[in-house]
Amino acid sequence: MLSKYPLSEVEKSFLKESGVEKISTLIPYLQVDNFPKLGLLTACRFLEWAAANPEGVISLPTGKTPEFFIKWTQFLLENWDNKKGKEVREKYGLGDTKKPVLKDLTFVQIDEFYPISSKQNNSFYDYVNKFYIQGFGLSKEKAILINSDEIPLANGLHFSKVFPDLKVDLSLRFRDPQNEEEKLQQQSIYMIDQWCGEYEQKIRDAGGIGFFLGGIGPDGHIAFNTRGSHMFSVTRLTETNFETQAVAAGDLGGIEISSNRLVITIGLDTIVYNPDAVAIIIAAGEAKAGIVKDSLETPLNNVFPGTVLQKLKNGRFYVTKGAGVKLTDSVDAYYEKGEWTWEKTERSVIDLCKKLGKYGHRIKLSDLKADKYTKLIPDLSEDTVNQVITSIENKLSKGLEQERNEVLLHTGPHHDDISLGILPHITNQLHEPTNEAHFSVLTSGFTAVTNTFVIDTLQSTKRLLDEGKIQMVHYDDFFDVGYKLKTDKDVYHYLTNVASENANARLRGLCHRVVRALVIVYDIKNKTQLRETINEVISILKNSYDGEKNSSKIQKLKGMIREFEEELVWAHFGVQVKNVHHLRLGFYTGDIFTEQPDKDRDVEPIVEMFRKVNPTKISLTLDPEGSGPDTHYKVLQATAAAVKKWGEEKDISDLRIIGYRNVWFKFEPHEANVIVPVSLGDMSVMEDSFANCYMSQVNASFPSYSHNGKFSTVAKRIWVDQLDAIQLLLGKNFFYQHERAKVRSSHGLIFFRDMNVEEFLATARELEKSIEGML
């Protein structure tokens, strides 16, 4: 495969560094260690191509995926001839390349929501102009762009007049309109279709796209060509599927919006029209591993749009190790290279049980010898499977151990991360009175609260004020000091009414806390100012477009709602408000690209919390590749730096770090060293606490692409799936006949990794190294 497709100098350099010796996929790929390095690879390849094609046609992605591509491209252009830039260029195949001039390139916009105003910051039109036309110094005049405001519609009207609710009914393409409004809409849809055809022709008249860079969705979509798009599709107005809508929910302000918005997208045939095109799909993190495998190892198939790159000699996938972990090449290399570890034995045996659909005790020596991976196990014998069974049982035993006299600090990047990751494990710890537990969410999480939720809550608050049911505002000292007092009472009042199933009283509890938050955020001094502020915030939000970045004060208000929700969850188990720490790290801004963690602003508050709490165990989401939201790995960087700094002040050699995962990606059994049984009761507690406390999340405005509903349901499914894998190895009777009731009642399992400080820092260090040259 390596000789069949000529690689560029940049690609050769990265291939050599990757250590990949065999590529057997139907589309060539390059693999790098992590997400920031993926940006470096794509930036180097783009600049190499641009230097050779100064008047070429390019099409580049939007969203969070190209963050490091954009940063590295700008870094290299700014530092091309100085020491920093030259070192990178020499190392990665750009040593003899003249600095490219980008101003004569023709930019083609890949896709856009429809309808959406080009003036909105969350439109792709705005993104393209900000980061590529202005950011890279491209020609606005030569660019081929999708501006929804300028696409002609019937009678010369704007889309806000033709589609007043911003919904476009594509059935009008094929049916008779029922009224004058539908006639206008039908005519407009045909005009949009005409415009799309002309857009396609402009691209083809320019010779087609010469350099295409795109991400890949969880369903495999390329641009907005979702699963099932045919290989000869062209630019068109079309609907999307749920997975794509879930991913777009963050851009548009919720699934309620994205599910009703159509898209204009170039087609799969548009991408491959130029036979000499360099077309690259990038993918990061284990969450993308399944679709990467299907896209690279399946012959041309409309179920996997990425397979269209098989038509191009310069079609490529650039992936992180996590995204490539399921590729046959990667699995082969994992087993065949380096020394054989116990982890390899565990993985190969558990996977063999799945492949054969056999329980562990029924796997024969002949089965082990016949499998391409288990046959590599040293000293293979009849006892090999029993050794793996014993190892997994030991991991379960660790998960059953009763911890005592521990100071536990559970942390998460977002509110609900801790609960969705390891709640059943935490409840075991909290039942032991000698343990002291603290919880900390490191960002304020405001992006997860919709404008609609805040508007509804503030309108309820106004009504309750009118009815005299928020009595605390009448106390003489409330606006001086009273607003800071009795926060535990808010929590207790709310949960008491969860128990009594009094929804109105629960709402009143939320509104009490929102009043306190308003006083803090807006420095309110009296009841009149309180009412004016509520009206002002409602007005601002009603006049904001969905997905618009809020002001810093509204961000803080939304964050404080999330913080109240987190306090409610842990109060289920008697944890006081003072033991729930809200860090609100400064890198989390609501911008499309959040900043990298800063030592003073973001690391020092974590160190200060460590000093104050003095934990013996710290839990955190272990996401060194950015498989989930980018906040995960940025929080990991900041936490690792804080642990390192704390270790310079005191002896933390006995500190344990618990790395957990949740709905974004999960551990495989061989990666974890602790397994915790989860009962139906545990699942109910998690589901109930999520539904009752994470009020802003119950409607699932920002759902997982794998489930149109609450994240708690996704977490439960993962726990059940994890039990299935272990049950196949150990046998069902191991569970229902076990001497411990906790195991007998288990209908799910949680996996996590228990590490010492050195093991944890080694895991996080690679990510830090990958970006230090750029920052």
Side-chain angles (χ1 to χ4, degrees):
M1 174 58 79
L2 297 185
S3 58
K4 182 180 173 187
Y5 290 92
L7 300 180
S8 75
E9 293 305 309
V10 164
E11 289 177 322
K12 287 174 187 172
S13 301
F14 277 91
L15 179 65
K16 186 177 179 184
E17 185 180 82
S18 73
V20 173
E21 295 170 0
K22 179 182 76 171
I23 297 180
S24 63
T25 50
L26 297 170
I27 302 167
Y29 65 91
L30 287 174
Q31 188 168 279
V32 293
D33 288 339
N34 48 52
F35 190 30
K37 195 68 165 280
L38 190 63
L40 175 61
L41 165 58
T42 49
C44 288
R45 182 66 184 103
F46 168 64
L47 293 172
E48 178 184 42
W49 183 90
N53 300 273
E55 295 185 359
V57 180
I58 62 171
S59 204
L60 305 175
T62 52
K64 290 185 180 291
T65 304
E67 173 181 5
F68 287 102
F69 162 70
I70 291 169
K71 287 179 177 175
W72 274 115
T73 298
Q74 290 174 332
F75 171 87
L76 287 167
L77 289 172
E78 289 164 10
N79 296 278
W80 196 267
D81 293 316
N82 67 25
K83 185 172 181 288
K84 284 165 80 176
K86 280 181 177 175
E87 283 177 1
V88 176
R89 290 199 293 115
E90 290 290 340
K91 186 173 181 181
Y92 292 115
L94 289 171
D96 299 327
T97 305
K98 286 183 71 173
K99 182 178 177 180
V101 177
L102 306 184
K103 68 180 178 62
D104 294 321
L105 294 170
T106 297
F107 185 92
V108 173
Q109 186 174 337
I110 294 175
D111 48 23
E112 182 60 280
F113 300 112
Y114 189 87
I116 189 170
S117 172
S118 60
K119 299 176 184 66
Q120 292 185 197
N121 291 333
N122 59 344
S123 71
F124 292 156
Y125 179 88
D126 181 82
Y127 182 110
V128 161
N129 277 278
K130 186 184 298 176
F131 292 110
Y132 294 136
I133 306 295
Q134 293 167 25
F136 285 8
L138 302 176
S139 164
K140 180 80 180 275
E141 291 68 39
K142 294 184 76 171
I144 302 171
L145 303 177
I146 305 171
N147 183 335
S148 294
D149 291 313
E150 294 180 357
I151 296 174
L153 303 177
N155 299 344
L157 294 171
H158 186 260
F159 66 70
S160 58
K161 303 294 184 189
V162 178
F163 307 107
D165 57 0
L166 302 183
K167 293 180 184 176
V168 182
D169 181 1
L170 288 185
S171 72
L172 283 166
R173 278 181 177 146
F174 315 111
R175 66 173 175 84
D176 289 336
Q178 302 298 305
N179 51 48
E180 288 303 313
E181 184 180 63
E182 285 198 346
K183 273 186 189 174
L184 200 66
Q185 291 176 347
Q186 184 184 65
Q187 189 181 345
S188 295
I189 290 169
Y190 292 150
M191 291 176 74
I192 298 167
D193 291 340
Q194 174 70 17
W195 183 93
C196 289
E198 291 166 0
Y199 189 87
E200 180 76 22
Q201 192 61 52
K202 283 182 192 173
I203 298 169
R204 298 193 177 212
D205 288 346
I209 297 166
F211 185 95
F212 174 87
L213 179 65
I216 187 166
D219 69 318
H221 72 248
I222 307 296
F224 276 125
N225 296 284
T226 54
R227 185 179 57 248
S229 299
H230 67 76
M231 291 294 155
F232 295 96
S233 54
V234 293
T235 304
R236 64 206 184 279
L237 176 69
T238 184
E239 296 170 331
T240 57
N241 55 15
F242 169 73
E243 294 98 324
T244 306
Q245 292 159 10
V247 172
D251 295 316
L252 293 176
I255 191 76
E256 303 90 342
I257 315 302
S258 60
S259 61
N260 287 314
R261 198 70 90 244
L262 300 187
V263 294
I264 292 173
T265 180
I266 62 173
L268 295 176
D269 199 51
T270 320
I271 295 168
V272 301
Y273 172 74
N274 178 350
D276 296 319
V278 170
I280 299 163
I281 300 299
I282 51 177
E286 291 176 35
K288 295 284 176 70
I291 194 60
V292 165
K293 176 181 171 67
D294 290 333
S295 300
L296 288 175
E297 297 185 358
T298 306
L300 269 173
N301 192 312
N302 68 326
V303 176
F304 304 114
T307 60
V308 75
L309 265 58
Q310 291 172 32
K311 294 184 175 186
L312 295 173
K313 62 179 182 290
N314 291 313
R316 303 280 189 272
F317 268 60
Y318 291 172
V319 301
T320 62
K321 278 186 177 172
V325 76
K326 290 186 179 178
L327 291 172
T328 303
D329 291 341
S330 299
V331 180
D332 287 350
Y334 168 80
Y335 286 115
E336 293 165 5
K337 291 171 70 173
E339 71 170 301
W340 189 272
T341 61
W342 177 251
E343 187 184 83
K344 292 181 181 182
T345 298
E346 267 190 10
R347 179 178 174 181
S348 61
V349 169
I350 291 169
D351 284 351
L352 182 62
C353 290
K354 286 187 207 167
K355 278 184 225 168
L356 300 180
K358 277 187 177 183
Y359 289 111
H361 64 274
R362 290 190 177 151
I363 296 286
K364 300 185 174 115
L365 184 57
S366 57
D367 293 324
L368 296 170
K369 287 180 175 176
D371 182 71
K372 68 188 284 194
Y373 302 133
T374 53
K375 72 179 182 184
L376 302 174
I377 297 171
D379 304 318
L380 194 60
S381 72
E382 297 277 3
D383 199 40
T384 298
V385 176
N386 288 331
Q387 291 169 354
V388 173
I389 288 172
T390 300
S391 172
I392 296 298
E393 287 177 355
N394 289 339
K395 293 181 186 185
L396 264 164
S397 295
K398 279 189 192 173
L400 290 166
E401 286 173 6
Q402 184 63 63
E403 296 158 289
R404 292 183 175 84
N405 300 304
E406 300 281 7
V407 180
L408 307 154
L409 174 58
H410 294 292
T411 73
H414 308 92
H415 305 83
D416 72 24
D417 275 333
I418 306 169
S419 172
L420 294 169
I422 48 171
L423 180 61
H425 175 61
I426 292 170
T427 57
N428 293 341
Q429 296 172 327
L430 293 175
H431 288 151
E432 170 50 51
T434 63
N435 291 331
E436 178 186 331
H438 294 257
F439 299 86
S440 179
V441 177
L442 303 189
T443 70
S444 81
F446 56 80
T447 57
V449 182
T450 63
N451 290 351
T452 302
F453 181 84
V454 177
I455 291 167
D456 290 346
T457 302
L458 290 177
Q459 286 175 334
S460 297
T461 303
K462 258 176 40 173
R463 177 175 53 78
L464 290 168
L465 284 167
D466 290 343
E467 294 170 359
K469 290 183 178 172
I470 300 183
Q471 294 152 343
M472 61 185 182
V473 299
H474 302 300
Y475 299 153
D476 292 340
D477 66 347
F478 177 74
F479 292 98
D480 296 324
V481 294
Y483 67 90
K484 292 186 276 190
L485 307 175
K486 297 187 178 179
T487 50
D488 278 307
K489 186 181 176 185
D490 290 344
V491 170
Y492 190 78
H493 169 89
Y494 183 96
L495 292 181
T496 296
N497 289 293
V498 168
S500 65
E501 299 185 359
N502 187 333
N504 290 331
R506 261 202 329 261
L507 177 61
R508 188 171 154 228
L510 168 62
C511 294
H512 264 78
R513 180 57 72 91
V514 166
V515 167
R516 295 183 193 276
L518 287 165
V519 173
I520 293 168
V521 173
Y522 290 91
D523 192 25
I524 292 169
K525 299 300 183 189
N526 54 57
K527 288 180 276 188
T528 302
Q529 193 186 349
L530 174 62
R531 187 174 295 278
E532 288 170 352
T533 303
I534 290 172
N535 287 331
E536 181 189 348
V537 174
I538 290 172
S539 175
I540 290 169
L541 292 177
K542 280 187 171 179
N543 288 303
S544 300
Y545 58 79
D546 293 303
E548 182 174 358
K549 183 181 175 183
N550 300 127
S551 68
S552 58
K553 287 187 173 180
I554 292 178
Q555 286 179 350
K556 190 173 180 183
L557 175 63
K558 285 184 171 184
M560 291 178 83
I561 290 171
R562 291 294 271 143
E563 289 165 359
F564 179 52
E565 292 175 342
E566 195 71 14
E567 290 168 12
L568 291 172
V569 169
W570 304 118
H572 270 67
F573 311 99
V575 176
Q576 292 181 289
V577 168
K578 67 182 176 65
N579 281 24
V580 183
H581 310 273
H582 309 299
L583 260 58
R584 305 176 189 169
L585 296 187
F587 77 82
Y588 186 84
T589 59
D591 294 315
I592 183 75
F593 302 139
T594 55
E595 299 171 35
Q596 291 300 310
D598 177 83
K599 283 178 182 170
D600 294 326
R601 181 193 62 199
D602 300 312
V603 176
E604 190 54 38
I606 306 175
V607 180
E608 185 54 41
M609 180 173 63
F610 290 164
R611 294 181 189 124
K612 181 179 171 185
V613 174
N614 203 21
T616 57
K617 284 192 176 185
I618 299 170
S619 75
L620 46 80
T621 53
L622 194 63
D623 185 7
E625 258 209 17
S627 306
D630 63 343
T631 310
H632 282 208
Y633 67 84
K634 289 176 180 176
V635 162
L636 180 66
Q637 279 177 267
T639 307
V643 169
K644 195 173 175 184
K645 187 171 181 186
W646 194 39
E648 292 165 2
E649 298 176 7
K650 64 168 284 183
D651 178 12
I652 57 171
S653 54
D654 290 335
L655 178 69
R656 303 301 297 180
I657 309 289
I658 305 303
Y660 66 87
R661 294 184 172 179
N662 56 30
V663 298
W664 298 107
F665 55 110
K666 59 187 181 182
F667 284 121
E668 294 299 325
H670 64 276
E671 296 175 303
N673 57 12
V674 181
I675 298 176
V676 178
V678 180
S679 69
L680 286 174
D682 292 327
M683 292 180 194
S684 294
V685 168
M686 194 264 294
E687 286 264 48
D688 287 350
S689 62
F690 191 97
N692 289 321
C693 302
Y694 293 121
M695 298 156 279
S696 65
Q697 307 305 298
V698 171
N699 290 334
S701 291
F702 305 98
S704 162
Y705 58 82
S706 64
H707 173 64
N708 190 4
K710 301 192 302 290
F711 277 127
S712 53
T713 306
V714 182
K716 190 170 77 170
R717 287 177 180 176
I718 289 170
W719 298 344
V720 172
D721 287 345
Q722 290 177 169
L723 173 68
D724 287 346
I726 298 304
Q727 256 187 356
L728 201 51
L729 176 73
L730 302 185
K732 288 184 179 177
N733 57 337
F734 169 85
F735 288 90
Y736 65 75
Q737 293 178 353
H738 200 276
E739 62 186 25
R740 295 281 297 270
K742 184 72 181 166
V743 178
R744 291 197 302 274
S745 68
S746 61
H747 293 280
L749 296 174
I750 288 173
F751 300 157
F752 63 79
R753 194 183 298 167
D754 185 334
M755 300 167 282
N756 61 32
V757 171
E758 273 310 303
E759 288 168 330
F760 165 61
L761 291 178
T763 302
R765 199 171 289 132
E766 288 306 309
L767 181 67
E768 186 182 8
K769 274 166 47 184
S770 70
I771 59 169
E772 63 190 12
M774 179 176 57
L775 302 173

